[in-house]
Amino acid sequence: METANTKNFIREIIDEHNRSGRFGAKVHTRFPPEPNGYLHIGHAKAICINFGIARDYKGLCNLRMDDTNPEKEEMEYVDSIIEDVKWLGFDWQDRLFYASDYFDKIYECAIQLVKLGRAYVDDLTADQIREYRGTLTQPGKNSPYRDRPVEENLSLFTRMRNGEFPDGSRVLRAKIDMASPHIVMRDPVIYRIKRAHHHRTLDKWCIYPMYDFAHCISDSIEGITHSICTLEFENNRPLYDWFLDALGMHHPQQIEFARLNLSNTVLSKRKLLQLVREKLVDGWNDPRMPTLSGLRCRGYTPQSIRNFCDSIGVAKMDSIVDINVLENSIREELNKTAPRAMAVLKPLKVVITNYPEGKSEELDAVNNPEDPTAGTRKVPFGRELYIERDDFREVPPPKFYRLSPGKEVRLRYAYFITCTEVVKDPVIGEVTEVRCTYDPATKGGDSPDARKVKATLHWVSAAHAIDAEVRLYDMLFTNRNPNDVPEGADFKANLNPGSLETLPACKLEPSLGGAKPGARYQFERLGYFYIDPVASKDGKRVFNRIVSLKDTWAKVEKRTAR
Ligand code: ATP
Ligand code: MG
């Protein structure tokens, strides 16, 4: 795995700037989310890049809410962003900013462009502006309003600001070049009239700056040195540079990298919002969502997400990272740190017929084989136990080595047992109980005569078990790329109907009775689990499966592909 310090092309550019002294060897980055949704794992990549660079170059990184679009933005999103960046482990100290705090300054910049003869008020409609813009192969043509005198532009723009014109009736445009090969340079709109309530500036403004204009000025005001963004802004870089040159302002270097795409999920706030609005998930923080709050509720640690972001590297080529890479990062961490325990999710009663009634004993179990300092614990054993329903078959298919009539298996840390009898519900025929004998000489799990068994099962003593609900989460989408859909369908057609399975009556070993909300365990043979601190209340225990032990999905996919 790469480390955070691994050189990538962004760091090479910064090194070069530091050698040449372009920014006086200063490094100042920012993470600029738009508060129109919750942060997702793609944003985590951008956060780790920006804050990671600031950390490693002993520079600074600001958190800036890019809130120039009043219609879609809300305080709820601002709060969630603050919480999520903090949770990931990054600190912006006293540098939390809002682009809307710069609205006065941005307005002054617009006035300055007008005075320089480099911006004009245009009366064309939105459709006409589009028409005049031209195409990739055809140059655009000048608006008839393009050569308005400066005084007239100043007066009209001031009147736009004063609310004298209806929404959408006029815009302010930069006067650049309608024949430019870069379409973004064909006199881009920089201000529009929009009577919209802003979550911070309230009703102060009826004109709002466009993203391209507001963003570079915000960067410049904050003294940002390296404005790191995703590849889709590469085309906008000439405009970023043009505005700051025209205004004679401090000029950061924009650098673009490839955004993260993750398999079997979507990383677009617009699509995630649809899932939330249409109640296809249980909110932005549903443990199946790729949002940071979803991953947190699922049980992911901030460390595992930072490790993931470091491991995927930084490049200029778009690709889809397999969701397994993310899952492996939490597996790797929890394999080292999570205590082991036994839990039976779909219980089947086992009665050990030659074990004395009323007797019980305590057996030693290892807390974490990966961590010798984690020690051992006692697990009670008795005549009645639970095993997983899936670990028993009355008629075993070929290669089924677990329990079936006449077969012997090992109970983890306990004894060998042999199935002697099957008890069924007389009406529905379902197996309700399995009767076995145990071999007292195999205590601890080894037979003195070196006889072998092919399976080791986890189990819980019925008399001592505690109850819990367990929620098994799976991929949110069945397709590697959920946007792969037949004509006429949309990405939601690829939702995985089995992405959540709730098991209400699980049996857990009693040591888990004292487990604290927020704690993480490995349930032997089943995966890593997290005690949901929100859902666990009023004496009810809810465990979320963070991830299974192995990548079972790859196997399933292979099977269904055949
Ligand atoms: P979305 O497409 O999900 O709406 P966005 O780019 O509109 O994302 P912003 O809030 O503007 O979301 O993003 C803030 C920062 O995070 C930007 O610098 C953006 O480039 C970066 N970012 C967003 N999505 C990803 C991603 N999938 N991978 C890496 N960086 C991302
Ligand atoms: Mg954006």
Side-chain angles (χ1 to χ4, degrees):
M1 188 192 280
E2 295 179 63
T3 71
N5 281 307
T6 304
K7 283 296 168 214
N8 56 49
F9 80 96
I10 299 180
R11 287 168 186 250
E12 276 163 16
I13 294 172
I14 295 175
D15 290 341
E16 181 49 39
H17 289 160
N18 286 348
R19 271 192 296 275
S20 71
R22 168 148 169 210
F23 298 108
K26 244 183 51 174
V27 174
H28 198 152
T29 56
R30 84 289 172 265
F31 172 64
E34 181 179 355
N36 62 349
Y38 281 58
L39 297 181
H40 53 58
I41 184 79
H43 293 112
K45 176 177 178 180
I47 295 169
C48 290
I49 290 175
N50 280 296
F51 280 94
I53 283 174
R55 174 196 60 215
D56 296 339
Y57 285 90
K58 308 218 175 341
L60 299 172
C61 181
N62 299 353
L63 175 60
R64 182 197 316 143
M65 302 296 162
D66 210 336
D67 57 353
T68 54
N69 184 2
E71 290 155 302
K72 294 183 182 157
E73 295 160 1
E74 286 172 27
M75 271 318 285
E76 178 197 345
Y77 298 139
V78 169
D79 295 340
S80 75
I81 289 169
I82 289 173
E83 185 183 0
D84 290 348
V85 180
K86 227 184 252 169
W87 176 75
L88 252 195
F90 295 107
D91 183 6
W92 53 88
Q93 292 150 326
D94 57 351
R95 295 179 316 282
L96 165 62
F97 300 118
Y98 293 82
S100 57
D101 287 349
Y102 309 137
F103 279 171
D104 284 304
K105 173 73 190 167
I106 296 168
Y107 178 73
E108 278 169 34
C109 289
I111 296 276
Q112 196 186 333
L113 283 187
V114 172
K115 287 184 175 160
L116 290 166
R118 305 187 85 168
Y120 61 97
V121 173
D122 197 350
D123 302 356
L124 292 183
T125 64
D127 283 343
Q128 287 170 322
I129 289 179
R130 205 170 308 122
E131 223 172 90
Y132 276 57
R133 188 172 292 134
T135 63
L136 279 173
T137 49
Q138 271 184 328
K141 57 181 186 189
N142 290 350
S143 162
Y145 305 98
R146 194 173 198 264
D147 292 316
R148 276 181 160 146
V150 169
E151 283 314 313
E152 186 181 336
N153 282 321
L154 267 183
S155 150
L156 284 172
F157 186 50
T158 314
R159 292 174 63 197
M160 276 170 64
R161 191 233 154 116
N162 292 342
E164 293 186 31
F165 308 121
D167 284 11
S169 59
R170 290 189 158 92
V171 292
L172 185 72
R173 298 178 72 175
K175 193 170 179 177
I176 308 180
D177 177 7
M178 289 306 291
S180 172
H182 302 288
I183 293 192
V184 291
M185 301 298 274
R186 296 184 186 168
D187 292 9
V189 172
I190 60 182
Y191 260 94
R192 60 192 174 134
I193 308 175
K194 183 90 225 171
R195 284 169 180 79
H197 184 78
H198 188 281
H199 71 106
R200 282 176 66 87
T201 59
L202 312 178
D203 298 305
K204 176 175 173 187
W205 296 89
C206 65
I207 57 171
Y208 288 95
M210 302 303 284
Y211 173 84
D212 282 322
F213 192 57
H215 191 76
C216 59
I217 293 172
S218 306
D219 278 350
S220 182
I221 292 172
E222 291 176 16
I224 299 305
T225 56
H226 299 87
S227 176
I228 301 166
C229 59
T230 36
L231 275 185
E232 69 271 21
F233 291 103
E234 196 165 21
N235 288 331
N236 302 46
R237 181 162 16 111
L239 185 54
Y240 185 102
D241 294 337
W242 187 92
F243 282 135
L244 295 178
D245 284 344
L247 292 163
M249 294 177 74
H250 160 73
H251 194 152
Q253 174 69 54
Q254 177 177 310
I255 305 170
E256 310 87 13
F257 68 94
R259 64 169 45 225
L260 168 67
N261 301 299
L262 197 60
S263 76
N264 301 85
T265 192
V266 290
L267 296 184
S268 143
K269 281 186 278 189
R270 191 177 54 78
K271 289 183 178 152
L272 294 172
L273 180 63
Q274 271 185 58
L275 298 179
V276 172
R277 288 235 168 107
E278 295 172 30
K279 302 207 183 317
L280 298 166
V281 293
D282 190 18
W284 284 97
N285 63 358
D286 185 302
R288 292 166 293 179
M289 289 280 268
T291 51
L292 294 181
S293 54
L295 292 165
R296 176 167 65 238
C297 290
R298 174 93 161 241
Y300 271 82
T301 62
Q303 177 74 54
S304 67
I305 293 176
R306 292 196 303 265
N307 286 349
F308 166 74
C309 291
D310 288 343
S311 75
I312 55 177
V314 183
K316 261 199 174 289
M317 273 274 285
D318 270 316
S319 63
I320 300 184
V321 174
D322 202 289
I323 195 151
N324 238 303
V325 181
L326 177 63
E327 295 189 336
N328 281 337
S329 75
I330 188 73
R331 282 190 188 107
E332 206 174 299
E333 178 181 336
L334 294 182
N335 182 41
K336 293 187 207 119
T337 59
R340 275 50 171 173
M342 291 199 284
V344 174
L345 304 190
K346 296 174 188 167
L348 174 63
K349 173 81 73 72
V350 171
V351 177
I352 315 281
T353 51
N354 59 340
Y355 195 88
E357 301 230 20
K359 179 183 166 177
S360 77
E361 64 188 302
E362 300 218 292
L363 302 170
D364 288 313
V366 175
N367 285 333
N368 185 348
E370 301 289 320
D371 176 6
T373 67
T376 60
R377 67 187 185 288
K378 297 285 186 194
V379 187
F381 184 87
R383 183 179 155 90
E384 297 201 347
L385 312 169
Y386 292 110
I387 63 166
E388 285 308 331
R389 209 158 253 288
D390 288 348
D391 282 337
F392 175 79
R393 293 288 182 86
E394 190 181 9
V395 182
K399 296 197 181 156
F400 184 87
Y401 299 121
R402 291 170 271 168
L403 197 61
S404 58
K407 284 276 168 54
E408 186 171 51
V409 297
R410 175 189 294 110
L411 294 179
R412 179 94 158 138
Y413 299 124
Y415 296 98
F416 286 12
I417 59 167
T418 304
C419 173
T420 52
E421 192 186 341
V422 179
V423 182
K424 289 194 213 175
D425 181 299
V427 182
I428 52 174
E430 191 194 43
V431 176
T432 53
E433 187 179 300
V434 172
R435 299 174 81 82
C436 298
T437 55
Y438 86 118
D439 176 357
T442 57
K443 182 168 178 172
D446 289 307
S447 67
D449 58 2
R451 139 177 133 251
K452 295 256 185 299
V453 288
K454 280 196 166 153
T456 300
L457 311 186
H458 60 275
W459 53 274
V460 170
S461 161
H464 305 87
I466 59 166
D467 296 315
E469 176 176 309
V470 172
R471 298 176 182 170
L472 301 181
Y473 295 102
D474 206 337
M475 309 284 171
L476 188 50
F477 291 90
T478 50
N479 268 39
R480 182 175 159 79
N481 179 359
N483 298 316
D484 260 354
V485 280
E487 274 287 308
D490 79 354
F491 72 102
K492 286 171 287 178
N494 286 323
L495 276 166
N496 176 8
S499 59
L500 169 60
E501 186 183 0
T502 302
L503 303 170
C506 305
K507 299 289 183 185
L508 275 44
E509 70 166 72
S511 74
L512 289 168
K516 292 203 176 52
R520 298 174 180 85
Y521 290 87
Q522 182 193 103
F523 289 171
E524 302 234 8
R525 299 176 65 227
L526 298 172
Y528 294 99
F529 292 75
Y530 174 66
I531 308 189
D532 190 318
V534 180
S536 300
K537 52 175 180 248
D538 309 328
K540 181 175 165 184
R541 275 181 212 90
V542 176
F543 283 77
N544 294 334
R545 185 173 68 194
I546 309 168
V547 69
S548 59
L549 282 185
K550 276 189 234 108
D551 170 21
T552 47
W553 188 259
K555 276 183 253 154
V556 171
E557 268 200 328
K558 229 183 259 164
R559 218 182 304 138
T560 49
R562 270 202 303 254

